[in-house]
Amino acid sequence: MTPHKIALIPGDGIGVDVTDAAVRVLQVAASRFGFALQTTRFDWSCETYLATGRMMPEDGIETLRGFDAIYLGAVGWPATVPDSVSLHGLLLPIRKAFDQYANIRPHRLLPGVTGPLRADGFDILCIRENTEGEYSGAGGRVHQGTGNEVAVETAIFTRKGVERILRFGFEQARARRKHLTSVTKSNAQRHSMVFWDEVTREVAADYPDVTVSMMHIDAMTAKMVMAPQDLDVIVASNLFGDILTDLGAAIQGGLGFAASANICPDRGNPSMFEPVHGSAPDIAGKNIANPIAAIWSGAMMLDHLGEAQAATAVMAAIEGATGKGVGIRPGSHGTAAITAAVLEALA
Ligand code: IPM
Ligand code: MN
């Protein structure tokens, strides 16, 4: 039996708390379903940055290349390291170097969880472009510190990048309820988003079984609040998807339930799995963080590794715990109690 080699990067803050919880659950799932997860832990974090001047070693990407998947807790400790340094030193280079262009974020209510909306029958899969667009990093500043200062941040949309994320979205829609909403803003952004719409129509022609809507980002935020049950798969650019997935987290009951996968679909590089919530320094190490988003992200990792049955069992265990009222409201249960309830449901 060849073990799955997993690089663990707990990172900062509650990233450490929830990674420990997720790994415990995943290891139990592995032994129950007869496979092995061989984990290697890397202490890359803001603490590492303060000690060494780098978030990860110079050969960090090369080191990660040898793994089947990467599991990441959270990155950021803004009191000592600016987020613009820590994120660009660890999380973002991994997404880009490994061409993890599809950021997948599921938004639905777990049993027992009441979100802020009256609607409860929604099941949305947000596919966020993860390597280019508004977060390409192209730009610069001139005349810094003067009254003539200029900052430019150029969004880059390539045919290759736009086409592949839409194609990925259509594949997901085909495997689900066969509806795709392409998030645009072509009424105002007449170059990039008009192009995005054109590519949407072109790719849609290859998927006649999938119905397509195009919706402007502003209307989309209203839709997600007023009628989320009408949505199935959403495909959005990097910035739009970033914003919509925090909204998605909110309607599913909060960031403690928001899981994500950064996928390199051709599997030429390892993919990375991480909860959406971030490092939450104020509650770090206090047995407060909800590990459900982290465990759910772990289930997505198992699925990606071909362990579909184990992934399904972990999801069922999460649902078993929340169905009994465990972890469904902030403060109702600690990290340890929620993890124990998931483990019990898995046993
Ligand atoms: C997320 C986060 C990151 C992003 C930040 C921390 C750079 O907000 O994963 O959604 O924008 O991608
Ligand atoms: Mn975000």
Side-chain angles (χ1 to χ4, degrees), residues 23-337:
V23 170
R24 283 181 59 202
V25 172
L26 297 181
Q27 288 295 9
V28 170
S31 60
R32 184 175 147 196
F33 287 91
F35 61 92
L37 293 176
Q38 182 189 313
T39 59
T40 306
R41 200 178 165 107
F42 297 95
D43 69 348
W44 303 343
S45 62
C46 289
E47 258 177 59
T48 305
Y49 178 85
L50 292 174
T52 67
R54 303 186 60 97
M55 291 295 294
M56 62 176 159
E58 216 162 333
D59 63 354
I61 294 292
E62 286 320 303
T63 302
L64 294 175
R65 207 180 282 284
F67 288 85
D68 297 317
I70 303 161
Y71 185 93
L72 183 134
V75 180
W77 198 267
T80 55
V81 182
D83 284 343
S84 57
V85 171
S86 58
L87 274 321
H88 285 274
L90 187 55
L91 176 70
L92 300 175
I94 296 173
R95 287 180 181 170
K96 284 189 186 170
F98 292 140
D99 212 18
Q100 295 166 345
Y101 66 81
N103 186 317
I104 307 180
R105 298 180 168 182
H107 301 297
R108 61 184 171 85
L109 286 169
L110 293 171
V113 179
T114 41
L117 304 182
R118 277 195 299 270
D120 59 4
F122 59 88
D123 179 357
I124 301 171
L125 192 66
C126 186
I127 311 292
R128 164 185 175 191
E129 202 294 321
N130 214 24
T131 52
E132 57 169 44
E134 307 87 342
Y135 294 178
S136 298
R141 291 171 64 173
V142 289
H143 310 307
Q144 256 166 283
T146 74
N148 295 326
E149 184 158 3
V150 180
V152 177
E153 186 101 31
T154 305
I156 295 182
F157 288 87
T158 65
R159 177 166 286 277
K160 178 181 158 198
V162 175
E163 194 178 319
R164 67 184 184 177
I165 197 64
L166 281 156
R167 210 165 274 287
F168 185 86
F170 275 99
E171 290 293 331
Q172 301 292 315
R174 183 169 264 179
R176 289 170 46 103
R177 301 194 306 282
K178 297 190 169 47
H179 183 64
L180 182 143
T181 307
S182 175
V183 183
T184 183
K185 190 60 194 173
S186 49
N187 56 354
Q189 296 184 298
R190 57 187 183 159
H191 307 295
S192 59
M193 284 294 137
V194 169
F195 171 60
W196 176 280
D197 291 357
E198 282 169 18
V199 178
T200 301
R201 282 188 212 98
E202 282 171 29
V203 177
D206 292 339
Y207 296 85
D209 50 324
V210 176
T211 58
V212 188
S213 314
M214 310 222 204
M215 193 167 285
H216 295 307
I217 176 67
D218 43 357
M220 191 70 189
T221 59
K223 180 85 179 171
M224 280 180 68
V225 172
M226 303 305 286
Q229 67 280 358
D230 294 351
L231 297 163
D232 178 14
V233 171
I234 299 173
V235 182
S237 67
N238 212 334
L239 169 68
F240 293 169
D242 187 19
I243 296 167
L244 289 179
T245 54
D246 261 40
L247 179 55
I251 66 170
Q252 74 189 131
L255 281 162
F257 301 108
S260 86
N262 303 272
I263 301 285
C264 172
D266 73 9
R267 293 175 182 257
N269 301 302
S271 293
M272 176 165 64
F273 301 82
E274 46 158 349
V276 179
H277 52 56
S279 60
D282 51 324
I283 60 164
K286 294 183 180 162
N287 189 33
I288 293 175
N290 187 336
I292 286 179
I295 299 169
W296 188 343
S297 306
M300 294 171 84
M301 180 171 79
L302 294 183
D303 197 48
H304 182 77
L305 293 169
E307 305 294 353
Q309 276 189 311
T312 304
V314 170
M315 282 316 296
I318 291 173
E319 291 174 357
T322 61
K324 284 187 185 156
V326 178
I328 59 172
R329 262 183 302 280
S332 70
H333 296 79
T335 314

